[in-house]
């Protein structure tokens, strides 16, 4: 049983009694912060729950982003472009039973091999319900448009991402670019951000198929109105939140969340630049697509937006 579940069972955990007062204060302040974040999600779900009258039941397909760690009784919902590679590495260390000790020794591509981690959709319905009720559940979120620009930069401006260029780039160019060259239609490797935005807000896109996970909303990937997350970490406070979760899991003494260079990271300033050429009409439509993520995770409307 991890520290989190001990705290649930016994209000004042003996483990917490042993911590020095300063650390106890830090923990209690962090616990309050996560309670505020949980309340924000609950309030947003309630305020936007016209659909909850016909509340749909989650299907196994809805649970494929929830990674399960049996040994430490944890469930992590991964969101692409929110440090999910490093969190998957950490989960591999936790579930590997000694196979791995240093998350950063695990190659990034190996962290994304689905068979290396067990997801909740692989369990029976009673097993799923038991784990959702009893395990510590957490996810990490990021400012929605910063995450979107990060996804665009990674998937459409890097020459090596040919599978994305073929699958999505060619489609975007075909739909959004007048007088596209034959080469652009064939390769799809020069998609402009304005074209990407136009593709996202196009009603045809929404009807055709679900968004790719890299630009899908957190609301749709992790179902926070149906699943009660105990901890909501933020990309903006990634290390503190991650190490707090590892501490609650009882592994903080020997496992720390990897720090990494942020030189190529998408920043708020960069995001502002990308949105300079987006019309106010398109900005407004795009905000509507991601509005629940903004509200649910307490991100204010960006100052650079010109909403209609």
């Amino acid at each position: 049983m991890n520290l989190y579940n001990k705290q649930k069972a016994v209000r004042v955990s003996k483990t917490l009694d042993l911590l020095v007062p300063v650390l106890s204060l830090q923990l209690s302040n962090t616990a309050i912060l996560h309670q505020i974040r949980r309340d924000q999600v609950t309030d947003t779900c309630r305020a936007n729950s016209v659909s909850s009258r016909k509340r749909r039941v989650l299907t196994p397909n809805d649970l494929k982003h929830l990674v399960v760690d049996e040994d430490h009784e944890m469930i992590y919902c991964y969101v692409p472009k929110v440090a999910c590679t490093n969190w998957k590495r950490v989960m591999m260390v936790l579930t590997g039973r000694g196979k791995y000790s240093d998350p950063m020794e695990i190659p990034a591509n190996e962290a994304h091999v689905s068979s290396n981690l067990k997801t909740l959709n692989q369990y029976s319905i009673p097993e799923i319900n038991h784990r959702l009720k009893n395990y510590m559940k957490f996810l990490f979120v990021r400012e929605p448009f910063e995450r979107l620009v990060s996804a665009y930069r990674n998937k459409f401006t890097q020459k090596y991402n040919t599978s994305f260029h073929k699958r999505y780039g060619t489609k975007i160019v075909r739909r959004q670019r007048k007088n596209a060259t034959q080469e652009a239609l064939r390769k799809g490797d020069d998609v402009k951000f304005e074209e990407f935005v136009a593709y996202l807000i196009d009603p045809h896109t929404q009807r055709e198929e679900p968004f790719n996970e890299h630009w899908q909303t957190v609301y749709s990937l992790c179902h926070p109105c149906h699943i009660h997350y105990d901890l909501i970490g933020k990309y903006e406070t990634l290390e503190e939140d991650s190490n707090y979760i590892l501490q609650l899991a009882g592994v903080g003494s020997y496992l720390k969340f990897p720090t990494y260079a942020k030189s190529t990271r998408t920043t708020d300033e960069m995001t502002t630049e990308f949105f300079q050429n987006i019309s106010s009409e398109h900005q407004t439509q795009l905000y509507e697509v991601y509005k629940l993520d903004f509200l649910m995770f307490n991100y204010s409307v960006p100052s650079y937006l010109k909403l209609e």
Side-chain angles (χ1 to χ4, degrees), residues 79-255:
V79 178
K81 308 313 300 173
V82 193
C84 85
T85 303
N86 277 356
W87 256 111
K88 283 182 176 180
R89 285 169 162 148
V90 169
M91 294 298 279
M92 284 174 71
V93 172
L94 291 172
T95 59
R97 305 199 172 181
K99 188 177 175 185
Y100 313 96
S101 57
D102 180 359
M104 295 314 283
E105 284 180 2
I106 302 170
N109 61 334
E110 201 177 317
H112 296 295
V113 174
S114 57
S115 59
N116 283 336
L117 291 164
K118 194 161 186 183
T119 47
L120 198 58
N121 60 329
Q122 295 171 270
Y123 292 84
S124 69
I125 299 297
E127 288 172 334
I128 288 170
N129 289 334
H130 170 77
R131 281 155 184 76
L132 284 176
K133 186 178 177 184
N134 295 291
Y135 284 18
M136 179 173 81
K137 300 170 294 299
F138 68 97
L139 76 161
F140 274 79
V141 299
R142 183 177 186 178
E143 201 279 342
F145 284 170
E146 194 179 287
R147 177 178 165 241
L148 189 66
V149 168
S150 178
Y152 166 77
R153 288 179 66 216
N154 179 241
K155 299 306 174 191
F156 294 107
T157 69
Q158 303 293 333
K159 291 298 177 192
Y160 61 81
N161 264 322
T162 50
S163 61
F164 268 81
H165 302 158
K166 286 281 185 196
R167 179 161 182 200
Y168 296 101
T170 54
K171 191 186 294 184
I172 293 169
V173 169
R174 189 172 68 249
R175 277 204 214 148
Q176 308 300 336
R177 189 179 301 176
K178 290 174 184 171
N179 308 317
T181 65
Q182 285 304 307
E183 186 183 25
L185 289 166
R186 184 169 50 85
K187 287 187 174 178
D189 63 351
D190 64 344
V191 170
K192 298 181 179 68
F193 186 65
E194 300 92 293
E195 294 170 332
F196 178 52
V197 168
Y199 163 78
L200 293 175
I201 61 177
D202 183 347
H204 186 74
T205 304
Q206 303 268 11
R207 287 195 299 270
E208 186 178 60
E209 61 180 348
F211 276 2
N212 178 275
E213 61 176 20
H214 290 84
W215 48 86
Q216 181 60 282
T217 61
V218 178
Y219 171 77
S220 299
L221 288 176
C222 294
H223 313 284
C225 289
H226 293 77
I227 296 170
H228 176 82
Y229 288 92
D230 304 292
L231 298 149
I232 298 163
K234 291 201 164 190
Y235 190 75
E236 296 77 13
T237 49
L238 178 62
E239 280 174 49
E240 304 97 292
D241 290 344
S242 297
N243 289 322
Y244 175 66
I245 289 167
L246 293 174
Q247 208 167 0
L248 287 180
V251 298
S253 59
Y254 64 87
L255 183 59

Side-chain angles (χ1 to χ4, degrees), residues 5-60:
N5 281 333
K6 284 182 188 171
Q7 285 177 301
K8 272 212 296 198
V10 183
R11 264 306 134 207
V12 183
S13 156
K14 287 178 184 173
T15 313
L16 282 179
D17 287 343
L18 296 173
L19 294 170
V20 292
V22 175
L23 184 53
S24 294
L25 185 62
Q26 285 174 344
L27 280 175
S28 62
N29 286 343
T30 310
I32 291 165
L33 176 66
H34 284 276
Q35 180 63 56
I36 291 167
R37 291 176 184 173
R38 283 197 299 275
D39 290 345
Q40 178 74 21
V41 170
T42 303
D43 292 346
T44 307
C45 290
R46 195 175 292 130
N48 293 274
S49 69
V50 184
S51 60
S52 69
R53 288 191 206 116
K54 52 179 190 295
R55 180 182 164 117
R56 73 181 188 86
V57 175
L58 293 179
T59 65

Side-chain angles (χ1 to χ4, degrees), residues 263-275:
S263 55
T264 60
R265 180 179 165 258
T266 300
T267 61
D268 183 51
E269 294 75 23
M270 213 179 279
T271 305
T272 304
E273 281 180 41
F274 272 90
F275 272 84

